[in-house]
Amino acid sequence: MRVEGSNIPPNDSQTNRPFSNGSSNGAISPRKNGSSPTTNGSTHSNRHGYTNGTREKLTEPFFGHDREEVTRILIQSLTDLGYDGAARTLSNESGYNLENRAVAKFRRAVLDGDWSEAERTLFGDHIDDTGGGVGLYSNESDITWLKSSRSSPRNSDFKGGLPLSEGANTTELRFWIRQQKYLELLEIRDRQRALQVLRQELQPLQYDETRLHALSSLIMCCEDPDNLRRAAQWDGAQGESRSQLLSELSQSISPSVMIPEHRLAHLLNQVRDNQIANCLYHNSTASPSLYVNHTCDRDDFPLETLTELRDHSDEVWYIDFSPDGSMLATACKDGSVFIYDTKNWSVSQRLLEHDEGACYVAWSPDSQHVITCSQGQDHSAYVWDAKTGHRILDFTQYTYAVTTAAWSPDGTAFVIGSQDAERPLNLYSLQSGQEIYAWAETKHPDRPNNGFRIQDVAIAADGSRMVAITYDNRVFVYDWLTRQRISEWSMDNTLTCVSISSDGREVLINMNEGRLVLMDAVTGEPLMRYQGLKQTGYVIRSGFGGAGDGCIVSGSEDSHVYIWRRQSGILVEALEAHGPGYVNTVSWNRADPAMFASAGDDHRVRIWSNMTNIRAHSQQLGVVRGMNGIGGNTYMR
């Protein structure tokens, strides 16, 4: 259901509105509806003695761009910035208005809740005010939205309408307007008129039956406006709903008459995003300066070894930084799991309960707990207190390898995935350790046993989706809140690893034959392929990383770590890391974009950082060793 709505009765003197299209949360100086000289077509003398619309306009292009378009965008942007006087001056001197009278009338109608006038101005339809239209207020003195059309033959005969963008759905636009009208009637407890709008204006459109049923159910909330707003996910007439509605509607109006809101800001964002995309070593969340062309130095990117951890005695299969960046957990083929303090890279905890094959670790969102999984003979998963090293929950009921785990975004529960077809994907409570939910296979004629085995699982940080991959090369995407499967697709190769973007929209999957693909989380459409790594028959792990998750990083069977730009797929570097064996796993520090870790068959964990951090680390070690009278390598442990 669309959520918009403000509950302000139509009153010209009650509400101040900005110049710019739609709603705005920026620093915009408010102005009464239709009073702006840049929107209502009024004329004002400028300092040259000319009046708006009579002075000869400059028409030559502005550095190859249409002068009128540039000027109107600047007028809108000055208003967005709160410089109303400057916007007025530019309009007067240039002879260009931000909007014509029809657009200003439409804006005012929507923001004032004048729904009949809004439809008439937008579509040019003749609406019989005494027939099917339903007013908002029973008191005739309050029906200001009818006065203009009844008193002006020109308005009642208006047939032109505003030009719409290509592909605009007029039925949908009418539905949005009438939905707002219906909700506002419910909010003022006028059930009878709301029902009339529902039956006479919304239902005849025959648009979105599901939404119509949802709107019908809101009749029961009529006596409690707060309950209505909650049920409709709508902020009411005193909120931003009319401005949000105007913003939605404006996207379907031709930009030649109604400039998309905050247009200059969108153009600047495109410039920023393009410069970042073309900056190979970009690794900062700060927005680049507009004054100069953006570029980042290679020394600012984590491409050098800060230190090397050599405490494991066998292949390291998995590593993961804690969310707060204070710890690094490492899982080894021999069953050991170590937790390192990232301040000095010392081992703070040694977790040694698994007999062999510790293959996965998963940190809780608050960095207080860690889950360890084993594909060894013990087929187990444990939950640990990361600070004390105490084991607080045991899961030993599995009959096959436990391969993966992931935490709910609030940290109160977690998912364990395994090769056990009886319990492949289960949700457990952290507090009690009891099972909360079990995902089961959808019945399928090609799979009579109706079982599946999980290779990997990931949950989006925003709590929107969970994605799981299976040993028979399928990808399942679930709605995390409803726990329902929303999509499924099959791949043509062995799947080894999956990650999901923080907003749940994109999924990163490793496959054999060196395939690493970024996919749409719902449709399964490939968005980007990352070339270069080698993967033939072993589990190689990858992930999102860098500032704003702007990079993709992966291990490889050729002893290298590969880093690409996420959006463009351009290879940043292929770093020689763990020769002569495989690089099994990588993890980027979520709290420090200038640091990531890799681990491999050489039993070692390598910490990567940029030259700035390495020089600082070297100086710190030099001071400590100088104080202790010790010399040695300042880069390696």
Side-chain angles (χ1 to χ4, degrees):
M1 178 179 294
R2 286 181 72 254
V3 280
E4 51 246 7
S6 333
N7 211 354
I8 305 174
N11 186 330
D12 289 354
S13 62
Q14 183 173 359
T15 308
N16 291 336
R17 299 290 179 184
F19 292 130
S20 59
N21 301 333
S23 62
S24 172
N25 295 322
I28 300 179
S29 176
R31 209 167 268 284
K32 291 187 177 180
N33 300 328
S35 66
S36 166
T38 64
T39 60
N40 65 8
S42 61
T43 60
H44 293 265
S45 296
N46 59 32
R47 59 188 177 90
H48 297 291
Y50 297 98
T51 57
N52 189 13
T54 63
R55 180 187 180 189
E56 182 178 356
K57 297 179 180 178
L58 298 175
T59 58
E60 66 272 14
F62 177 76
F63 291 93
H65 300 282
D66 183 278
R67 179 173 289 271
E68 179 179 353
E69 290 186 358
V70 173
T71 304
R72 292 178 63 212
I73 289 174
L74 288 175
I75 293 170
Q76 182 196 60
S77 302
L78 287 170
T79 306
D80 285 350
L81 289 166
Y83 303 136
D84 298 347
R88 185 181 300 108
T89 298
L90 178 56
S91 178
N92 290 340
E93 290 195 3
S94 67
Y96 295 115
N97 288 328
L98 177 60
E99 298 170 347
N100 60 31
R101 288 179 181 274
V103 172
K105 181 190 294 185
F106 171 69
R107 174 191 304 283
R108 181 171 181 175
V110 173
L111 296 178
D112 284 351
D114 187 344
W115 309 120
S116 177
E117 183 68 15
E119 285 199 43
R120 179 183 293 105
T121 307
L122 180 58
F123 302 112
D125 296 340
H126 178 78
I127 299 175
D128 184 357
D129 295 333
T130 61
V134 178
L136 268 179
Y137 303 99
S138 57
N139 185 345
E140 182 67 23
S141 63
D142 288 335
I143 311 181
T144 59
W145 62 275
L146 288 176
K147 291 182 179 178
S148 61
S149 59
R150 288 177 174 171
S151 62
S152 171
R154 183 178 123 191
N155 286 341
S156 63
D157 295 333
F158 181 80
K159 295 182 180 180
L162 297 176
L164 300 181
S165 301
E166 183 178 354
N169 186 334
T170 57
T171 301
E172 181 179 57
L173 300 180
R174 291 182 192 275
F175 188 93
W176 289 351
I177 292 172
R178 295 173 186 182
Q179 175 184 251
Q180 178 77 13
K181 178 180 179 180
Y182 168 75
L183 291 172
E184 291 193 12
L185 285 167
L186 286 181
E187 189 176 37
I188 61 174
R189 298 183 176 91
D190 196 335
R191 181 181 302 202
Q192 180 179 356
R193 292 174 187 270
L195 280 171
Q196 288 178 338
V197 171
L198 184 67
R199 293 168 179 170
Q200 299 175 18
E201 300 184 33
L202 283 166
Q203 288 180 351
L205 294 175
Q206 297 182 344
Y207 176 81
D208 198 338
E209 291 297 325
T210 301
R211 186 174 297 179
L212 267 176
H213 289 313
L215 289 173
S216 300
S217 68
L218 296 175
I219 289 290
M220 306 303 296
C221 305
C222 186
E223 298 305 317
D224 185 350
D226 289 336
N227 189 29
L228 167 70
R229 289 187 286 268
R230 284 192 298 269
Q233 297 182 350
W234 178 73
D235 68 355
Q238 297 292 340
E240 295 295 324
S241 65
R242 290 179 183 172
S243 292
Q244 292 172 1
L245 174 61
L246 178 61
S247 179
E248 294 276 357
L249 295 171
S250 68
Q251 295 177 32
S252 295
I253 298 174
S254 172
S256 64
V257 298
M258 193 170 189
I259 301 173
E261 58 182 347
H262 316 309
R263 183 58 184 160
L264 182 60
H266 286 291
L267 293 174
L268 293 177
N269 286 342
Q270 290 179 18
V271 172
R272 176 200 62 199
D273 294 344
N274 183 65
Q275 291 206 16
I276 289 175
N278 290 321
C279 179
L280 191 62
Y281 299 110
H282 185 81
N283 196 31
S284 171
T285 56
S287 183
S289 172
L290 295 173
Y291 290 139
V292 295
N293 292 333
H294 174 71
T295 184
C296 291
D297 194 283
R298 187 181 185 276
D299 282 354
D300 295 329
F301 203 84
L303 300 174
E304 305 294 337
T305 301
L306 173 68
T307 190
E308 196 171 78
L309 312 178
R310 307 176 183 179
D311 300 287
H312 283 293
S313 58
D314 210 331
E315 298 170 8
V316 182
W317 283 354
Y318 197 90
I319 56 177
D320 194 25
F321 281 100
S322 62
D324 64 6
S326 66
M327 292 170 282
L328 174 69
T330 63
C332 183
K333 180 181 178 180
D334 65 9
S336 63
V337 176
F338 295 162
I339 296 179
Y340 289 88
D341 183 333
T342 59
K343 291 182 180 179
N344 54 23
W345 302 108
S346 61
V347 177
S348 60
Q349 302 296 337
R350 297 176 184 266
L351 312 179
L352 306 176
E353 293 299 321
H354 294 294
D355 294 336
E356 61 178 342
C359 61
Y360 205 93
V361 295
W363 286 96
S364 62
D366 61 4
S367 302
Q368 297 300 307
H369 300 94
V370 65
I371 301 170
T372 63
C373 302
S374 169
Q375 65 181 37
Q377 294 300 315
D378 56 347
H379 305 146
S380 61
Y382 300 124
V383 181
W384 307 79
D385 184 309
K387 302 296 184 182
T388 65
H390 293 156
R391 193 174 78 244
I392 59 177
L393 290 174
D394 299 352
F395 297 89
T396 58
Q397 68 270 35
Y398 292 91
T399 57
Y400 291 92
V402 180
T403 53
T404 183
W407 288 83
S408 64
D410 63 5
T412 62
F414 50 88
V415 171
I416 293 178
S418 80
Q419 297 180 30
D420 190 336
E422 297 298 320
R423 49 180 67 83
L425 198 59
N426 299 74
L427 178 66
Y428 298 98
S429 166
L430 173 63
Q431 182 176 7
S432 66
Q434 297 299 307
E435 181 182 292
I436 300 173
Y437 188 80
W439 284 269
E441 171 67 296
T442 303
K443 293 185 181 297
H444 194 286
D446 296 335
R447 293 184 290 272
N449 60 354
N450 292 320
F452 61 92
R453 300 186 299 158
I454 295 298
Q455 167 68 21
D456 201 4
V457 68
I459 299 173
D462 68 352
S464 57
R465 296 188 177 104
M466 177 178 74
V467 60
I469 58 175
T470 71
Y471 274 84
D472 58 356
N473 307 328
R474 287 181 290 162
V475 181
F476 299 149
V477 180
Y478 299 90
D479 183 297
W480 175 249
L481 295 179
T482 66
R483 299 169 186 159
Q484 299 303 305
R485 189 181 301 177
I486 57 178
S487 61
E488 172 186 346
W489 60 89
S490 297
M491 308 300 289
D492 59 2
N493 214 319
T494 302
L495 311 180
T496 63
C497 165
V498 67
S499 302
I500 190 167
S501 61
S502 58
D503 60 8
R505 295 180 181 180
E506 297 177 350
V507 171
L508 182 68
I509 298 178
N510 273 69
M511 292 175 271
N512 280 350
E513 299 183 3
R515 296 171 61 185
L516 179 58
V517 185
L518 186 69
M519 310 177 76
D520 184 283
V522 176
T523 67
E525 176 187 0
L527 303 175
M528 184 61 61
R529 300 179 189 274
Y530 305 97
Q531 307 290 338
L533 79 155
K534 180 181 179 182
Q535 182 175 359
T536 58
Y538 293 88
V539 175
I540 299 296
R541 299 191 181 274
S542 63
F544 298 95
D549 282 346
C551 296
I552 300 295
V553 60
S554 179
S556 176
E557 292 180 8
D558 63 4
S559 306
H560 285 73
V561 171
Y562 287 82
I563 306 172
W564 302 266
R565 300 306 310 181
R566 174 178 171 180
Q567 297 301 327
S568 66
I570 295 174
L571 181 66
V572 178
E573 293 279 349
L575 302 171
E576 188 173 350
H578 296 275
Y582 299 166
V583 180
N584 300 314
T585 178
V586 290
S587 176
W588 212 297
N589 190 337
R590 284 158 280 185
D592 183 1
M595 178 181 292
F596 72 90
S598 63
D601 288 354
D602 62 353
H603 310 174
R604 298 180 181 183
V605 177
R606 182 168 288 195
I607 310 300
W608 303 83
S609 191
N610 60 27
M611 287 305 301
T612 301
N613 287 347
I614 288 175
R615 293 187 187 104
H617 182 68
S618 176
Q619 291 174 0
Q620 181 181 13
L621 287 178
V623 170
V624 172
R625 287 171 175 169
M627 293 174 61
N628 294 328
I630 302 174
N633 192 322
T634 61
Y635 286 77
M636 299 288 191
R637 288 185 67 248

